[in-house]
Amino acid sequence: MQLALCWLKKVGFMRSALTALILVALAAPALAQERQWSIDNSDKQAFLVFGVPETADVGLSFWCDVGAKSMSMFVPVSGATAKPGQHPKVSAMVAGRTFSFKSEVEKDQASGLVNVEVQFDQNAAFYKAVMASDTIAVTVKLEKKSYPLGDADFAALNRACKGEDTN
């Protein structure tokens, strides 16, 4: 009987160890796919996106129409937080200051994700604070998300928004 119990304990340990190894192996690709800042532009628009490259996983993005003085910030939210057509209040905490915005809610037809868009002038105090800060915390209703800004290339976005080369 004791031999059987000892054998069951070993099998249980081996199963646990095997399960742990499988979980680590499955998690490895996900860990390698971290969000990062990237810039993309065309003749008409420029985008600075914090997301996983070549996926729909986008955490925060800034974009402009080339030559325009205004800019937009997109933040994904859950469908429970906001619905297309709504205009929830959005607040952004940057460098200890809180900025409030009116917003538009859109549903991306390709991904099905719900995004909140706020617009601001490129010379606004908000955007100047964003460019100088390491983090931003965005709140839509009760949903709050924080994003790093340290690696965001706002200088390249600014050049692209003016129609200049981003390199």
Side-chain angles (χ1 to χ4, degrees):
M1 180 73 166
Q2 262 190 339
L3 184 60
L5 287 174
C6 185
W7 182 79
L8 285 173
K9 285 181 184 176
K10 283 185 181 180
V11 169
F13 173 76
M14 289 179 1
R15 232 182 238 161
S16 295
L18 181 59
T19 301
L21 284 172
I22 290 171
L23 289 174
V24 168
L26 290 174
L31 292 174
Q33 293 292 314
E34 292 184 10
R35 288 178 175 172
Q36 61 189 30
W37 284 101
S38 61
I39 187 138
D40 189 20
N41 63 308
S42 68
D43 292 341
K44 296 180 182 187
Q45 296 177 323
F47 303 89
L48 181 60
V49 179
F50 182 64
V52 177
E54 300 178 29
T55 71
D57 181 1
V58 174
L60 177 69
S61 62
F62 295 87
W63 77 274
C64 67
D65 286 321
V66 173
K69 300 228 182 258
S70 66
M71 188 174 282
S72 292
M73 177 177 71
F74 278 88
V75 181
V77 295
S78 73
T81 297
K83 305 267 187 255
Q86 293 180 337
H87 305 278
K89 178 185 167 193
V90 174
S91 63
M93 172 82 71
V94 184
R97 292 181 60 194
T98 301
F99 300 88
S100 295
F101 302 93
K102 292 180 181 178
S103 71
E104 295 279 333
V105 179
E106 298 177 353
K107 183 174 183 179
D108 184 313
Q109 298 304 321
S111 68
L113 299 174
V114 177
N115 294 299
V116 173
E117 176 186 11
V118 300
Q119 292 186 340
F120 52 90
D121 189 80
Q122 292 180 25
N123 292 320
F126 164 71
Y127 189 55
K128 290 177 181 179
V130 165
M131 290 187 294
S133 184
D134 289 333
T135 60
I136 183 172
V138 180
T139 304
V140 180
K141 293 188 179 179
L142 298 176
E143 188 174 330
K144 182 177 181 179
K145 297 179 180 179
S146 296
Y147 303 98
L149 296 172
D151 293 332
D153 192 349
F154 287 104
L157 178 63
N158 294 337
R159 288 191 304 274
C161 289
K162 293 176 185 173
E164 299 172 2
D165 187 12
T166 59
N167 295 317

